[in-house]
Amino acid sequence: MKTWIPDARNFAYLNWKQVDALPRESTLLVLPTAAIEQHGHHLPLATDTLINNLLLGHALAKLPTNAPVYALPPVHYGKSNEHIGFPGTLSVSASTFMAVLRDLGASVSSAGFKRLVIYNTHGGNTALIDVMARDLRAEFKLRTFALHGSAGAKFDGLTVQERAYGFHAGEVETAYLLASVPELVDRSAYTSNYIADVNKPELLAPEFAPATFAWLTRDIAASGVMGDPRPATAENGARWLDQAATKLAAALDAMLRFPLSPAS
Ligand SMILES: [Zn+2]
């Protein structure tokens, strides 16, 4: 898999003696989680994994060179059963996903490290990340953090509809890939679908509402796209990437400074 992680911050490029020399209390380890799943007719299966690596790599490059932050190899497979029925989707169950995170947390803790952030770029994993961040804190006394997507970047220029419901293979994801791996984007194969209309609020919404319905992609979008990729540009992708990387770097810096509790 292509990587934008700076070599000097790639944990798996170290040998064990170099790991042993890292300061245990201050070092922040970043565990990326993403997915291998359908992204419509125009984006590759690895879209969420590529975006994770792209954003994290650019965020790490913005940190001071002496900041002790290292990226662990990503958990490529996520809980993607909302995309079942689309060839190429490789999903693991919630229990498998959580077990992998638990075991990696145990490994990090047994080596003496104290700070772990799970950086996630697949929506189907989000609830599980929040569960595991707390469970790893409770079981191993790790100071754990959860970090999601573009860390609150604003995506200037998106329509209200795309901002609300363009959450899979839509304008933002397509723009990120146009800016980084345009050879993996099939611009002749764009399709557009929305899971809901932001101008017609219903009592039961798919996301972000007090009352929700559980959805599968095949209920909504035969092509697998939820959003509209057609306005995506490499220029917007590059600008949003820089803005997201700045937000992510600020969050990582705050995690470096966050106090370890007396119990740790
Ligand atoms: Zn995606």
Side-chain angles (χ1 to χ4, degrees), residues 35 37-39 43-49 51 83 121-123 167-170 173:
E37 64 184 23
Q38 74 80 19
H39 270 75
L43 294 181
L45 301 170
T47 293
D48 290 353
T49 303
I51 290 173
H83 300 297
T121 49
H122 166 52
F167 48 55
H168 189 74
E173 291 192 335

Side-chain angles (χ1 to χ4, degrees), residues 7-112:
D7 285 354
R9 295 194 182 279
N10 193 328
F11 186 82
Y13 285 179
L14 301 174
N15 63 51
W16 78 262
K17 292 296 288 180
Q18 291 169 317
V19 172
D20 198 32
L22 296 176
R24 299 299 198 276
E25 304 255 312
S26 56
T27 296
L28 175 66
L29 300 179
V30 186
L31 177 61
T33 60
I36 304 294
E37 64 184 23
Q38 74 80 19
H39 270 75
H41 298 174
H42 70 287
L43 294 181
L45 301 170
T47 293
D48 290 353
T49 303
L50 290 166
I51 290 173
N52 188 304
N53 196 281
L54 178 74
L55 270 57
L56 179 59
H58 282 73
L60 292 175
K62 288 179 181 289
L63 293 175
T65 50
N66 62 351
V69 185
Y70 295 87
L72 304 178
V75 178
H76 289 96
Y77 302 114
K79 179 175 175 294
S80 295
N81 58 349
E82 69 271 37
H83 300 297
I84 54 175
F86 292 87
T89 296
L90 303 178
S91 181
V92 297
S93 68
S95 58
T96 297
F97 185 81
M98 290 193 292
V100 169
L101 264 55
R102 189 263 172 203
D103 290 351
L104 294 176
S107 299
V108 163
S109 175
S110 73

Side-chain angles (χ1 to χ4, degrees), residues 67-232:
V69 185
Y70 295 87
L72 304 178
V75 178
H76 289 96
Y77 302 114
K79 179 175 175 294
S80 295
N81 58 349
E82 69 271 37
H83 300 297
I84 54 175
F86 292 87
T89 296
L90 303 178
S91 181
V92 297
S93 68
S95 58
T96 297
F97 185 81
M98 290 193 292
V100 169
L101 264 55
R102 189 263 172 203
D103 290 351
L104 294 176
S107 299
V108 163
S109 175
S110 73
F113 292 101
K114 306 292 187 192
R115 295 172 194 268
L116 177 70
V117 50
I118 304 168
Y119 173 47
N120 177 56
T121 49
H122 166 52
N125 296 339
T126 302
L128 307 180
I129 300 300
D130 291 338
V131 167
M132 290 312 299
R134 177 162 291 125
D135 278 11
L136 293 174
R137 170 97 190 111
E139 183 172 359
F140 300 111
K141 298 192 176 74
L142 283 167
R143 176 53 79 188
T144 50
F145 306 93
L147 183 59
H148 295 285
S150 301
K154 287 287 179 269
F155 305 125
D156 52 290
L158 281 188
T159 64
V160 174
Q161 174 67 21
E162 185 70 11
R163 187 181 300 281
Y165 293 114
F167 48 55
H168 189 74
E171 184 174 347
V172 171
E173 291 192 335
T174 302
Y176 277 151
L177 265 63
L178 285 174
S180 58
V181 281
E183 68 277 15
L184 297 184
V185 181
D186 184 350
R187 297 178 198 226
S188 70
Y190 287 165
T191 61
S192 171
N193 291 280
Y194 285 113
I195 195 170
D197 183 341
V198 77
N199 294 313
K200 294 182 193 161
E202 305 281 352
L203 179 59
L204 295 177
E207 304 265 351
F208 321 122
T212 59
F213 61 89
W215 53 269
L216 296 175
T217 304
R218 66 186 179 196
D219 297 339
I220 301 143
S223 74
V225 170
M226 286 171 285
D228 186 355
R230 291 171 297 180

